[in-house]
Amino acid sequence: MTQDAQVIVVGAGPAGSTVATYLARAGVDVLVLEKTEFPREKVCGDGLTPRGVKQLIDLGIDTSQEAGWVHSRGLRILTAELTLELDWPELTSYPPYGVSRTRQDFDDLLAKTAVKAGARLLERTTVTGAITDERTGRVIGVEGKQGPEKTPVRYHAPLVLACDGVSARLARSIGIETDEKRPMGVAVRRYYKSPRHDDPFIEGHLELWDRKDPRNPQLLPGYGWAFPLGDGTVNVGLGMLSTSKSFRNMDYRALMRQWLDSTPEEWGYREENAIGRIGGAGLPMGFNRTPHYRDGLLLLGDAGGMVSPFNGEGISAAMESAQLAAQFVVHALARPEGSSRERALRGYPLALKELMGGYYRLGNVFAKAIGNPKVMRAATKYGLRINPLIPLIYKGLSGCYDAKGGDAVDRMISLAARLMPSA
Ligand SMILES: Cc1cc2nc3c(=O)[nH]c(=O)nc-3n(C[C@H](O)[C@H](O)[C@H](O)COP(=O)(O)OP(=O)(O)OC[C@H]3O[C@@H](n4cnc5c(N)ncnc54)[C@H](O)[C@@H]3O)c2cc1C
């Protein structure tokens, strides 16, 4: 059988472009198949915490403001009763700033970085499923449709990486399904022209109310955000967890309008300042699709359910999984095909568990707890008033802590994550 590449990467979002860059730089022949054409929009909050910025720096990307990134110095948390401004923590592992940039630009930049490194990118190529070896069941390539004519195509490689996001079509084609017991999220967002476009803080609004029954309003497990983009606009949106009873029958667009109508008029989050439609998508979290390696197929980013159950951030985890996957794939390819190569590949899910497993298990417990409106109410009403708890809540929820060393708070989070049986 002819091989089209050493590795096929399906999807050129943050996971796919990052892994393709690392692999190409290591001299691996990589073919990236992407269903859209860059530059293109992707529904997202467009915000990265310092954890995500580290990934950009690791890739060698210039994250300065001159290079087009909007920097945040921290997070402003708002409830009905208080407002807290918290600078990003000073850490060994992560820089002291976050960034925002529209995914239209961001994904284009990452895809160009991969191509510059030597990856071959084929756009307008939609993968419909895996090709498996009839005898062994191993994934040996992918099939799909290409171009406006939807020409059927098949590509072969000894290793395939599923980076196709929340749809996870490739993983599902070999029977790797979602674990419905794990939490999911839904998020919606829209752009608004606003005088707050150059606010140095990103914002989290912790009070989203379900007022369908006006006599018994329920505080929802989620938050609204405002991520300034520095160009006259702000990315405003909200996300909510599946652990709430209201999750399935919620009209998220109506919830967003209701929340924004309660914000001060001068912020500008009103219909007349809106740009484009309200877009939304699912947030696959807490490792809700496993195994992350099986039969020649590795799952990265959203395809492997890697959004944080604590805060809905998924770009950093997508890029972290890409960094790990590249290391294991390079080593696997340096070994003879067969059991030795398999052993190297089995290291990938183990390394992922070590990096995120305990933290995500903790997050899944957290998501379940705040699904109860009473717990959510107590957390927003009292938790943020207890000063010694604030660094713990802040670092824990943002994922910005030093997993090794660090201060007492960092050690407490690391210990809790280590003691948790891995997700
Ligand atoms: C409203 C909203 C707001 C969010 N805000 C944030 C935020 O502010 N910060 C943050 O870190 N995360 C945020 N997230 C989560 C974040 O968007 C994802 O976690 C992240 O994009 C995952 O990256 P990925 O590379 O795994 O997948 P994706 O970014 O989804 O990339 C998948 C790629 O694969 C392509 N593709 C899909 N199917 C196929 C196929 N069959 N064949 C070929 N190509 C295919 C897609 O076109 C896409 O380019 C948000 C999500 C939503 C819905």
Side-chain angles (χ1 to χ4, degrees):
M1 185 190 61
T2 52
Q3 272 185 17
D4 297 289
Q6 284 177 289
V7 175
I8 292 174
V9 173
V10 176
S17 291
T18 302
V19 75
T21 303
Y22 283 124
L23 289 174
R25 283 181 187 161
V28 176
D29 178 21
V30 195
L31 180 63
V32 185
L33 306 175
E34 164 58 46
K35 74 174 178 188
T36 65
E37 191 177 8
F38 293 106
R40 54 100 176 100
E41 193 186 18
K42 155 87 177 82
V43 175
C44 186
D46 304 329
L48 269 75
T49 62
R51 192 165 176 145
V53 182
K54 175 193 185 280
Q55 284 302 315
L56 293 171
I57 297 169
D58 284 353
L59 258 190
I61 287 177
D62 177 0
T63 59
S64 68
Q65 303 189 58
E66 294 69 37
W69 300 91
V70 177
H71 283 202
S72 64
R73 57 175 274 192
L75 173 68
R76 184 181 301 119
I77 302 175
L78 297 99
T79 70
E81 289 141 14
L82 60 86
T83 300
L84 276 179
E85 285 187 350
L86 304 166
D87 282 337
W88 294 118
E90 287 292 340
L91 296 167
T92 308
S93 316
Y94 307 118
Y97 60 96
V99 297
S100 304
R101 187 171 194 137
T102 65
R103 290 290 297 272
Q104 171 115 355
D105 264 8
F106 184 91
D107 288 27
D108 187 40
L109 177 83
L110 287 192
K112 284 199 171 94
T113 306
V115 169
K116 195 163 164 218
R120 289 178 286 140
L121 170 66
L122 294 181
E123 294 166 87
R124 282 172 291 147
T125 306
T126 302
V127 168
T128 50
I131 303 171
T132 51
D133 182 309
E134 275 176 23
R135 200 171 46 83
T136 62
R138 196 180 169 79
V139 175
I140 50 170
V142 296
E143 56 190 1
K145 298 189 175 87
Q146 200 162 60
E149 308 298 330
K150 301 201 182 331
T151 313
V153 284
R154 290 165 75 85
Y155 296 101
H156 293 92
L159 284 176
V160 177
L161 311 190
C163 306
D164 49 349
V166 62
S167 70
R169 191 167 183 178
L170 190 53
R172 286 192 288 113
S173 78
I174 63 157
I176 305 180
E177 296 297 341
T178 314
D179 178 350
E180 305 288 348
K181 286 197 225 76
R182 302 265 161 100
M184 262 297 282
V186 162
V188 291
R189 72 92 174 96
R190 197 179 201 184
Y191 296 102
Y192 289 86
K193 283 182 263 168
S194 167
R196 293 161 74 82
H197 73 107
D198 56 0
D199 189 335
F201 285 91
I202 60 169
E203 259 178 17
H205 295 244
L206 296 192
E207 297 214 18
L208 296 176
W209 291 91
D210 177 1
R211 296 189 195 278
K212 277 199 292 293
D213 178 358
R215 285 161 307 161
N216 186 22
Q218 301 285 323
L219 189 58
L220 297 168
Y223 69 96
W225 72 77
F227 295 166
L229 289 167
D231 60 353
T233 69
V234 178
N235 180 320
V236 187
L238 63 85
M240 195 180 124
L241 289 163
S242 60
T243 52
S244 156
K245 278 194 190 133
S246 318
F247 182 75
R248 297 239 173 261
N249 48 23
M250 176 62 69
D251 177 345
Y252 292 93
R253 286 165 177 80
L255 179 66
M256 178 147 148
R257 282 190 210 98
Q258 173 202 305
W259 163 51
L260 292 183
D261 285 346
S262 73
T263 59
E265 181 110 36
E266 61 273 19
W267 292 2
Y269 306 150
R270 296 290 185 274
E271 199 57 35
E272 61 271 23
N273 299 318
I275 301 169
R277 62 191 176 100
I278 300 181
L283 301 171
M285 18 182 83
F287 284 174
N288 78 349
R289 181 172 281 100
T290 54
H292 291 130
Y293 173 69
R294 194 167 91 194
D295 297 331
L297 183 73
L298 286 80
L299 273 52
L300 284 70
D302 276 13
M306 294 184 203
V307 171
S308 165
F310 282 112
N311 62 10
E313 185 179 22
I315 298 172
S316 57
M319 295 177 78
E320 285 173 18
S321 68
Q323 201 172 35
L324 280 182
Q327 285 165 18
F328 285 95
V329 166
V330 166
H331 279 272
L333 290 173
R335 297 179 180 203
E337 266 183 59
S339 60
S340 174
R341 184 176 283 188
E342 281 306 292
R343 200 160 295 129
L345 292 167
R346 283 201 298 263
Y348 169 65
L350 295 177
L352 265 183
K353 268 193 178 182
E354 196 181 324
L355 183 70
M356 308 176 199
Y359 179 67
Y360 277 5
R361 175 58 69 97
L362 212 55
N364 291 345
V365 172
F366 164 81
K368 203 164 174 207
I370 65 166
N372 179 340
K374 288 196 184 107
V375 176
M376 184 68 187
R377 186 79 197 119
T380 52
K381 200 169 167 65
Y382 305 114
L384 296 169
R385 289 193 189 279
I386 306 170
N387 279 343
L389 274 187
I390 291 173
L392 185 67
I393 296 171
Y394 187 36
K395 286 181 164 183
L397 295 191
S398 67
C400 294
Y401 62 95
D402 281 322
K404 295 201 174 89
D407 63 13
V409 169
D410 297 338
R411 288 197 295 278
M412 214 184 296
I413 301 169
S414 305
L415 183 68
R418 259 203 315 277
L419 292 179
M420 272 279 152
S422 179

